[in-house]
Amino acid sequence: MTSEELPDWVPASGHQLRLAGIHFDAICVRGVRGEAVLHHLAEATDGHPGPVVRELSGGRWTYFLIPPGSSKEHTWPPGATCFGPAARDQYVGIPAPNGNTYPLSWRCGPPVGAEFVDPELLHEVVTAQLCLPPDS
């Protein structure tokens, strides 16, 4: 992957905060629930769900990046945090494609061009996963 294929909001090294609702919206799910959402999303997309960032420490959040403005088209269930145009001044850490980006990493690779997670599919999977009992 060359730097020309990456969107300009992906840093060349390290990681940087980006204002949600401008270049992307983000739906965040914490811990094992986020990993479960990603697992089912990857199954539904033949392993290519779109850009997903994960936090390797703390709450271990998984950030699903969707097109800017698309988060407001859905009512997201409790347990899914929406970072988008409806909220003010919410930032998401975006890692570089390579190198030391701790505590963030690309779970499914950085986006190429205008690639995003499908918000309709994500909403279906998030709603199904977050409505399950915690032991499921």
Side-chain angles (χ1 to χ4, degrees):
M1 173 178 312
T2 66
S3 61
E4 292 84 36
E5 295 173 320
L6 294 173
D8 61 359
W9 48 268
V10 175
S13 63
H15 52 81
Q16 294 181 348
L17 294 176
R18 298 292 190 220
L19 184 61
I22 304 295
H23 303 290
F24 56 82
D25 288 0
I27 304 302
C28 311
V29 182
R30 187 176 183 151
V32 295
R33 292 288 182 137
E35 287 296 321
V37 168
L38 179 57
H39 172 77
H40 290 287
L41 195 62
E43 279 186 348
T45 60
D46 294 325
H48 301 287
V52 178
V53 174
R54 73 174 165 183
E55 182 182 70
L56 301 171
S57 65
R60 301 184 63 84
W61 290 92
T62 302
Y63 298 83
F64 300 89
L65 305 185
I66 59 177
S70 63
S71 63
K72 64 184 176 185
E73 297 172 12
H74 301 285
T75 301
W76 298 92
T81 303
C82 177
F83 287 30
R88 294 190 59 198
D89 300 330
Q90 291 182 320
Y91 290 84
V92 175
I94 301 296
N98 300 302
N100 183 5
T101 62
Y102 185 83
L104 303 172
S105 71
W106 287 105
R107 183 64 172 82
C108 296
V112 175
E115 175 187 28
F116 290 102
V117 172
D118 179 332
E120 296 288 331
L121 180 59
L122 178 62
H123 184 260
E124 288 177 29
V125 173
V126 165
T127 300
Q129 283 299 307
L130 295 181
C131 292
L132 291 173
D135 295 321
S136 295

